[in-house]
Every structure is written in C-alpha cells, then in structure tokens.
Amino acid sequence: MSSHQSEVLTPRPWPAWAKWVRDVLFILVAFWAIDAWHTRNMLDGDAGPIAELTLVSLEGEVQRLSGDPERSTLLYFFAPWCSVCRLSMGNLETLDDTKVRVVAIALDYANQTEVEQFLQDIDVQVPTYLGTNELKERFAIKAYPSYYVLDEHFEIQGRTVGYSTTLGLWLRTL
C-alpha cells in the first residue's frame, strides 16, 4: 500500500466569510418562513384593487380613501393594548409623506378614549382612524400590527404582520 493511499482526507474548514454568508442566509430564510406563515391568511395581490375605504377620524370626520396617483398607501392596523404596536408605530413617522401616505387604523379597542390615550402615550402624530369589525374581517386581520402596502391604484403590493423597523417599512413602500 502506498503512503498516498493511506492518508486520511480531512475536510478543509470553511473560511470565515463563508460561515458568515451561510448564517445570514439561514436568518433571512427563517425570517421569510415566519413572515410567510404569519401572512398566509391575509389578502394578497391577487385580490385586485381595494374598494374605496370609508373611515372615521378621531375628530369624527368621515374620510373616504382610495388610490393616490402620486404615492403608495400604507395601511397600519393596530390595537391600543398591543405592546408590539406601541414599539413599532413610531417608525411610521419616519416615512416620507410625499412618497407614501400612512393611514393608521385602530381595531379591537374598548372606546375612542383608549385609542386617544394610546396615541398620546407614544406621542405619534400619524393620521389615525377608528376601524370596525367589518374592516377587520375585510382585511383578514388576525394579529397586530398588520400592514398592507397599496399602490396608486389601491392594489395590494405587500403585507406583513408584527414589528417592522424603519428600514423594513421604507423597503416595503418603495
């Protein structure tokens, strides 16, 4: 037997950069899988354009929302008792309102005072409306916060559930 045949081949260790790439890819796939699971029952882009929304502001004014030819619309559904909403809602203020119209819609609240107190506590100044159970069912909201990104024709371009960073919101609304 030659000395060459008796050598044991040992695998070469991965370079540090390859391990880093592997780990990042694993994390991205995990986030994608979790997001896919959370959004599985939400409306998707195949739903077609969303019909005009009729919402009531905290001041009691009736507002009709439809597509905006100049910008996309981000619908942010929240509940005032939701701790993740408390952490994430401030990120909405960082979006450029010339590029995206932000609409916050309160659901699962006991009364209007609860919603107003929530907004005062977190000191967020985004247009906020009082939602209804009908609206909750229409958008298949099962968890908070839930986001829908609608294009200028009011067609769904994106959706997600849970905390979203400023960067995440910005990327979704491009």
Side-chain angles (χ1 to χ4, degrees):
M1 188 188 270
S2 74
S3 65
H4 194 23
Q5 291 176 334
S6 64
E7 289 180 26
V8 176
L9 296 176
T10 57
R12 289 182 29 198
W14 284 27
W17 66 267
K19 289 179 182 177
W20 186 85
V21 168
R22 176 201 62 197
D23 292 347
V24 168
L25 286 175
F26 176 78
I27 290 168
L28 289 174
V29 168
F31 273 109
W32 175 82
I34 291 167
D35 187 59
W37 176 259
H38 283 279
T39 60
R40 70 191 182 283
N41 294 322
M42 292 178 77
L43 301 178
D44 60 20
D46 296 337
I50 301 296
E52 179 180 81
L53 298 177
T54 302
L55 300 170
V56 177
S57 73
L58 295 175
E59 294 77 28
E61 298 172 3
V62 175
Q63 177 78 36
R64 297 193 193 293
L65 292 177
S66 59
D68 184 332
E70 302 296 321
R71 58 191 177 162
S72 60
T73 300
L74 174 72
L75 300 180
Y76 177 86
F77 294 95
F78 74 98
W81 46 261
C82 168
S83 57
V84 177
C85 301
R86 185 172 294 277
L87 294 172
S88 68
M89 197 165 180
N91 296 338
L92 299 174
E93 291 185 311
T94 63
L95 297 172
D96 182 352
D97 64 357
T98 64
K99 295 186 170 128
V100 63
R101 171 177 52 179
V102 175
V103 178
I105 301 171
L107 296 172
D108 288 342
Y109 54 89
N111 54 51
Q112 183 172 334
T113 304
E114 180 185 22
V115 175
E116 291 168 343
Q117 185 63 52
F118 171 82
L119 293 170
Q120 183 179 3
D121 290 349
I122 62 172
D123 193 28
V124 171
Q125 306 295 319
V126 297
T128 304
Y129 300 90
L130 300 171
T132 62
N133 283 333
E134 177 186 60
L135 192 63
K136 180 180 175 180
E137 289 175 18
R138 180 176 171 191
F139 281 90
I141 304 299
K142 305 282 188 231
Y144 299 105
S146 289
Y147 309 79
Y148 280 97
V149 178
L150 309 174
D151 68 10
E152 64 276 2
H153 305 292
F154 238 40
E155 292 187 22
I156 297 169
Q157 297 300 305
R159 65 207 175 138
T160 195
V161 174
Y163 183 83
S164 189
T165 63
T166 300
L167 177 61
L169 289 171
W170 181 77
L171 290 171
R172 284 183 179 90
T173 57
L174 285 178

